[in-house]
Amino acid sequence: MTSATAADYSWIRSSGSPFRYALEYGYTLTLVRGVSPDELLRVADAEPRGVCEGLAELIERHQELLDESDDWPESFLAGAFSVEGEGGSWTLALEFGGDLGTRPSFMEALSPGTRAVSHSSNGGKPMDFFHWYENGELRTTFEWPADRSGSTPDELNAMMREVGLNPSGDQDPGIHRKAAVFALTERLTGVRVTEELLAGAEYRTGEVPEEPVE
């Protein structure tokens, strides 16, 4: 297990960070062990859209999809690539304005026999979620660290404290909560997400349909 803390992810807030677009617009980042990028996109019912060379091109393609729609688009672009982590190969999936990692049906279908972790933000609104699935089961999820649910809502409490999240009360204002969530995700996956990793990855992409409103 890594010893990552919020300090290791201070880069996400820097003015030149490639992740600033994700924080401003909204994103979902999902990591799953032992599932290929192609399989992840298949489970998401994504229509293949080729490869993006780096994060800048993924952002550009996302903007093009928005520009092609007169209203809010009925689909979003997801990009996925392989990366090494704890226990072998993981797939990292990233989308802007999408919600794959927050969809229970998707995460349950993705995680039997393995682990899947996601975190997300809807941009300017203060809604940020974390989800940990193990063997098809939602183990721990939260928006605010002190308000957790899942089958084992308290299992990560010690780890949360170590990365800078307070599972029992108010958050330390000196610690960036999103950076701490990145660190918690690294501890569960062994995958360190860096500027260089996101900027230089080859993303296999797919267009994912929005879920119908129930």
Side-chain angles (χ1 to χ4, degrees), residues 195-212:
E195 293 182 77
E196 295 77 17
L197 177 69
L198 295 178
E202 182 179 89
Y203 295 82
R204 301 192 68 83
T205 67
E207 194 170 330
V208 182
E210 291 282 0
E211 285 192 309

Side-chain angles (χ1 to χ4, degrees), residues 11 29 31 40-41 64 75 82-83 85 96 100 108 127-128 130-131 147 167 180-182 184 187-188 211:
W11 62 266
L29 188 152
L31 282 156
L40 181 145
L41 293 171
E64 290 173 356
S75 60
S82 295
V83 61
F96 308 112
L100 270 184
E108 290 166 4
M127 294 178 65
D128 301 89
F130 170 87
H131 304 276
D147 186 18
V181 166
F182 264 93
L184 180 62
R187 291 207 180 199
L188 286 168
E211 285 192 309

Side-chain angles (χ1 to χ4, degrees), residues 123-140:
K125 299 178 182 178
M127 294 178 65
D128 301 89
F129 295 99
F130 170 87
H131 304 276
W132 164 39
Y133 281 77
E134 197 83 20
N135 196 27
E137 177 183 60
L138 177 59
R139 300 286 296 275
T140 304

Side-chain angles (χ1 to χ4, degrees), residues 171-185:
Q171 181 69 27
D172 183 341
I175 294 177
H176 190 256
R177 185 159 56 98
K178 180 59 66 179
V181 166
F182 264 93
L184 180 62
T185 301

